[in-house]
């Protein structure tokens, strides 16, 4: 839904409970996701702390695929920090060893992540090799939603790489595919606030929407098609149900600073506005 602040609050609660139980297995599932959300929020000290703890846990348990997962985790943080070169150095050896033993979703995610880093580093031809491999594999698997990968991101990075290499018609086709996956994701969201949040607060979704609006206008698409994402059916009842939940949680807060953040966060979630 593009609500990383809410996710961070929930992850903090889950992390606290996992530590109280002394459950290393739960923490190993939780820490990579928490580090990713922390990086998305610009909480880089927290992200590195979580990555360091993950490295320590993996060293103690000696799991065979741990180094690869840790490298991918640190590359995600590096990308959010704007250190594309480091992300490329971390992901390139992993991409070189991609084979059938790695789950399809992980392979697609790895290829897309490396391409994103290469684009940020100004190397579109290298990025295109990886996005082409990713989209070919995705087509081979029926263009489905596969665990551990995000189809809108795969096709959006492919569109970006094609455009950067001057292949504009192919870039438009890939953008249409990315947008189709995005519409598939939000079409069944009847809560308008959550749908708007998904469209504007997730950075990849936002980039797709903005590129779509620009290119659809350039190519003369009718307004009804260009703005279809704003005209999906909504149900007010779902927003009111969330408002009741907001009131219950509001009454549990006793700290003034926390209350201020809570009210702003809840308003942005209910309305879909940007913070």
């Amino acid at each position: 839904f593009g609500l990383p602040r809410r996710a961070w609050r929930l992850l903090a609660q889950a992390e606290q409970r996992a530590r109280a139980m002394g459950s290393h297995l739960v923490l190993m599932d939780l820490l990579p996701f928490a580090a990713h959300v922390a990086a998305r929020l610009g909480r880089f000290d927290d992200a590195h702390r979580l990555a360091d703890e993950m490295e320590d846990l993996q060293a103690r348990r000696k799991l065979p695929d741990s180094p690869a997962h840790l490298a991918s985790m640190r590359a995600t943080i590096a990308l959010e920090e704007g250190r594309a070169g480091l992300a490329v150095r971390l992901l390139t050896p992993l991409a070189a060893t991609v084979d059938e033993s790695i789950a399809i979703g992980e392979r697609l995610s790895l290829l897309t992540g490396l391409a994103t880093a290469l684009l940020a580093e100004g190397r579109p031809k290298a990025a295109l090799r990886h996005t082409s491999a990713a989209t070919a594999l995705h087509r081979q698997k029926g263009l489905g939603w596969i665990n551990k990968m995000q189809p809108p991101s795969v096709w959006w990075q492919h569109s970006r790489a094609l455009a950067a290499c001057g292949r504009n018609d192919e870039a438009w086709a890939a953008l249409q595919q990315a947008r189709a996956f995005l519409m598939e994701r939000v079409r069944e969201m009847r809560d308008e606030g959550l749908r708007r949040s998904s469209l504007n607060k997730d950075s990849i979704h936002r980039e797709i929407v903005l590129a779509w609006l620009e290119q659809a206008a350039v190519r003369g698409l009718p307004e009804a098609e260009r703005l279809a994402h704003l005209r999906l059916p909504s149900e007010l009842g779902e927003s009111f149900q969330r408002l009741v939940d907001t009131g219950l949680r509001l009454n549990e807060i006793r700290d003034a600073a926390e209350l201020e953040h809570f009210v702003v966060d809840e308003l942005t979630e209910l309305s879909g506005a940007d913070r």
Side-chain angles (χ1 to χ4, degrees), residues 110-120 126-128 130-131 157 160:
L110 173 60
L111 291 168
T112 304
L114 178 53
T116 304
L118 287 165
L119 283 168
L128 184 56
H130 296 294
T131 62
Q157 300 307 333
R160 290 181 65 218

Side-chain angles (χ1 to χ4, degrees), residues 65-88:
D65 56 352
S66 294
H69 284 160
L70 184 64
S72 181
M73 185 177 175
R74 292 200 184 277
T76 298
I77 297 170
L79 262 179
E80 292 290 346
E81 288 179 312
R83 296 194 292 164
L86 175 58
V88 169

Side-chain angles (χ1 to χ4, degrees), residues 6 37 39 70 101 104 112 126-127 135 142 146-147 150 199 217-219 226 230 236 238 268-269 272:
R6 167 80 68 98
V37 174
L70 184 64
S101 67
I104 294 168
T112 304
T135 52
I146 302 169
N147 190 33
Q150 297 294 325
L199 288 169
V218 167
R219 292 170 184 272
R226 180 172 175 263
L230 299 180
L236 268 177
E238 295 201 12
T268 58
E269 290 180 22

Side-chain angles (χ1 to χ4, degrees), residues 23 41 54 75 83 137 176 181 231 243 261:
S23 176
L41 289 168
M54 187 70 177
R83 296 194 292 164
L137 178 59
Q176 288 178 292
F181 279 119
R231 296 171 177 167
L243 191 57
H261 284 295

